[in-house]
Amino acid sequence: IAFVGGNELITSAKERFSGYLKALKENNIAVEPEIIKFGDFYLQSGYDIMREFCEMKHAPEDFFISNYFMQVGAEQYLQEYQKEKEGRLTVVGFDDMEASPLFRFTEVVAAQPMVAIGAEAARLLQRRMAGDVDSFPLVSRFDVDWIRRRPGR
């Protein structure tokens, strides 16, 4: 299972990569460094990384893409150049957004609770504006829902 991640200096990117490694370990799947790539959270980065994967002699067929915009780029590449592999390649993505249902290679996406995240951010902002700096900085984590977008192979 190949991994496409964002900038490793960003907390969410580090945590998603750690989750990927944990899932491999829990399922007795060897870590293959050659199929782990990091980009910059942008569409072009996802496009370029997916092209690199598809050009490998032993290209992976399963991908975890940990950022929505990189997933858009990866899907764009797959839909432009790998149409014949639809149904044979599987993408699991992060962030269920407006265009997610249009992705033909994405099987499952993680949906973050956007309303809950926004409400928590507003509460924190109000506290900070009122002078409350206790527990600063604060990291909040929310559970995600996994949404199946197309039948698995």
Side-chain angles (χ1 to χ4, degrees):
I1 302 170
F3 179 84
V4 178
N7 183 326
E8 296 175 87
L9 300 176
I10 307 296
T11 301
S12 61
K14 284 191 271 193
E15 290 179 351
R16 292 173 189 182
F17 182 58
S18 293
Y20 163 81
L21 294 175
K22 180 181 175 191
L24 292 180
K25 183 176 182 178
E26 288 174 357
N27 290 281
N28 296 314
I29 299 171
V31 174
E32 300 177 57
E34 66 276 7
I35 59 171
I36 296 172
K37 296 186 182 287
F38 293 90
D40 60 11
F41 292 118
Y42 292 101
L43 189 144
Q44 189 64 48
S45 182
Y47 186 97
D48 293 341
I49 289 172
M50 186 56 72
R51 179 178 32 79
E52 290 172 23
F53 278 136
C54 289
E55 290 174 352
M56 293 174 71
K57 184 175 182 177
H58 299 289
E61 293 185 340
D62 302 299
F63 304 88
F64 176 66
I65 304 175
S66 69
N67 167 271
Y68 176 74
F69 291 106
M70 292 175 68
Q71 183 182 359
V72 171
E75 277 279 345
Q76 180 183 355
Y77 177 81
L78 291 172
Q79 290 181 29
E80 288 176 5
Y81 296 104
Q82 302 294 321
K83 290 178 190 176
E84 75 284 355
K85 292 184 180 175
E86 189 173 343
R88 294 194 336 251
L89 299 180
T90 298
V91 173
V92 173
F94 214 96
D95 296 325
D96 183 41
M97 303 291 228
E98 293 82 7
S100 295
L102 303 175
F103 297 160
R104 294 196 326 244
F105 290 87
T106 298
E107 185 173 314
V108 176
V109 292
Q112 298 186 75
M114 302 308 258
V115 172
I117 292 171
E120 177 68 14
R123 279 192 295 277
L124 180 59
L125 182 58
Q126 287 175 330
R127 284 180 36 205
R128 296 289 188 255
M129 289 172 41
D132 180 359
V133 292
D134 290 341
S135 68
F136 182 79
L138 176 67
V139 175
S140 299
R141 289 185 176 77
F142 298 85
D143 291 332
V144 299
D145 290 322
W146 293 96
I147 298 173
R148 183 164 297 281
R149 286 288 173 203
R150 66 176 176 84
R153 53 180 160 119

